[in-house]
Amino acid sequence: MPRRTPQHRTYRRLFTIPGTRAFTAGNLIARLPAGMFSVSAVVMIAGSRGSYALAGAVTATGLAATAVTAPWIARLIDRHGQSRMAVPATAVAALGSLSILLCVHYDAPDWTLFAAYAATATTPNTGGMSRARWAHLLADDPEALHTANSFEQAADELCFMLGPALAAFLCGTFFPEAGTLVGAVLLMTGILIFTAQRATEPPPGPAPKGSSPLRTPGIPPLIAGFIATGAVFGAMEVATLAYADTAGHRAAGGAVLALQAAGSCAAGLLHGTSKPTGPPEHRLRWCLLAMTTLMPLPLLAAHTLNSLPALAIALLLAGMATAPTMITAMTLLQHRTPEGRLNEGMSLAVTGLLMGIACGSAAGGWTADHASPTGGFAVPIAAAAAALLIGALSRETPQGAAL
């Protein structure tokens, strides 16, 4: 028999499990709008109100509201099941997206933008629900679960690669609200397909074991690291869009951002074909060091070279460290989360990311408006350094050391 390649040994075998292709397809459709909504909102609001600071503040408010609401939604999903809770939660979020669309279209007061965007906070953690299904299906196969986590992170990056480009295309080609409208339709459609796949759904746990993940040793430092990493994403997004707009290439902003996600997606897929070695805490610190080392490249390209193509290449290179970092951190979180609270634990990770994205978006938007568009690229450098410091100061836990 010919020797199989690592990809045959890993990714292909994941989808030989019955039902995995169907729930993955639905989840990808539902996850794509995650990369569309914030870019659509920034383009839509900045174009109609002429302020990136307002656009960044509105998206930051919505993300902060999601950070508060997401653990509660995830707890309900853990206790009552994905198919029962995810659909109504998504319907409320879709209505919130339509509300902000109407507020912008009809020139409603600024405060209505904040209220409408906050209503999208009930969006369920689609990536977390998918990871929970893999953890349920592959509970006895840690190596396959590592591959599944790598695939899920690559899927996240793929959606954040295609989402901004699609949003920028829709908003620039048709009308400013088109990205938000299409995103809401895709979100609702994908969740309906995903939740229809009952055979792979993890069973609900009405009485979860253990304490809250936030009180579990080793999880709070991980959440702090997710916050800092989210600030990298949020600030980089707003700074890139502001720089592209200043350079007279607003429509190209989403495509340039997509290259960062492309680099991360490729690195995530490659990471999934390798067998993890050494304590995960050590691996995470090396990933954080790589991210911090690469993050100054976009600032160098924008400020020194003053070139949009150079910025695109810099973002591609900088993105290569983010997926391995997220994969390793998510794996640690899965092992440390108490039994019966996996969706809640995953939601806390997303909550941390959203809080960071909110802070990064606001800081990046303020810097772009009050300093310079290129100065906004200093914010993700500081955020990456903070993530590295958190990782360096975190202690190993018995759960993590055993991995």
Side-chain angles (χ1 to χ4, degrees), residues 366-386:
W366 187 93
T367 306
D369 274 359
H370 293 85
S372 67
T374 57
F377 290 106
V379 179
I381 297 174

Side-chain angles (χ1 to χ4, degrees), residues 279-296:
E281 288 89 352
H282 293 177
R283 301 200 307 268
L284 181 58
R285 288 168 190 148
W286 281 110
C287 291
L288 290 170
L289 178 61
M291 183 172 70
T292 305
T293 303
L294 293 173
M295 208 48 61

Side-chain angles (χ1 to χ4, degrees), residues 57-361:
V58 169
T59 56
T61 300
L63 293 173
T66 302
V68 174
T69 307
W72 176 64
I73 298 294
R75 194 174 299 120
L76 291 175
I77 291 174
D78 276 330
R79 294 185 180 182
H80 303 289
Q82 296 179 355
S83 57
R84 183 177 178 184
M85 300 307 304
V87 173
T90 303
V92 173
L95 290 175
S97 295
L98 295 178
S99 297
I100 192 171
L101 183 154
L102 294 174
C103 289
V104 171
H105 184 75
Y106 290 104
D107 200 24
D110 288 351
W111 67 266
T112 63
L113 303 180
F114 292 91
Y117 206 83
T120 65
T122 61
T123 303
N125 178 11
T126 51
M129 290 192 296
S130 186
R131 288 178 173 91
R133 293 200 179 206
W134 287 118
H136 169 63
L137 295 172
L138 303 172
D140 299 325
D141 192 344
E143 185 177 343
L145 183 58
H146 165 74
T147 303
N149 284 333
S150 299
F151 170 79
E152 289 298 324
Q153 189 59 43
D156 280 339
E157 302 300 341
L158 179 65
C159 292
F160 278 101
M161 177 178 66
L162 299 178
L166 178 59
F169 170 77
L170 292 171
C171 294
T173 304
F174 298 100
F175 48 91
E177 302 87 355
T180 300
L181 178 61
V182 172
V185 172
L186 289 174
L187 176 63
M188 196 72 238
T189 302
I191 286 293
L192 290 174
I193 296 173
F194 176 80
T195 55
Q197 315 308 315
R198 302 291 184 90
T200 55
E201 181 179 349
K209 300 178 182 179
S211 60
S212 168
L214 278 178
R215 293 195 293 269
T216 302
I219 288 185
L222 279 176
I223 302 302
F226 281 121
I227 293 173
T229 305
V232 173
F233 300 151
M236 189 69 76
E237 180 178 285
V238 174
T240 301
L241 292 174
Y243 178 82
D245 190 14
T246 303
H249 301 288
R250 175 184 293 182
V256 173
L257 271 175
L259 287 177
Q260 181 186 8
S264 187
C265 179
L269 289 173
L270 182 62
H271 185 74
T273 63
S274 62
K275 184 177 181 179
T277 58
E281 288 89 352
H282 293 177
R283 301 200 307 268
L284 181 58
R285 288 168 190 148
W286 281 110
C287 291
L288 290 170
L289 178 61
M291 183 172 70
T292 305
T293 303
L294 293 173
M295 208 48 61
L297 292 179
L299 176 60
L300 176 66
H303 181 70
T304 305
L305 301 179
N306 194 23
S307 166
L308 191 62
L311 175 61
I313 296 173
L315 286 172
L316 177 68
L317 296 174
M320 290 182 177
T322 56
T325 301
M326 294 294 296
I327 292 166
T328 308
M330 284 289 187
T331 300
L332 270 172
L333 185 66
Q334 285 181 354
H335 284 269
R336 294 176 179 178
T337 300
E339 184 180 351
R341 294 181 180 267
L342 186 56
N343 276 300
E344 185 178 352
M346 289 293 169
S347 180
L348 286 172
V350 175
T351 295
L353 283 170
L354 293 177
M355 289 176 63
I357 291 172
C359 295
S361 296

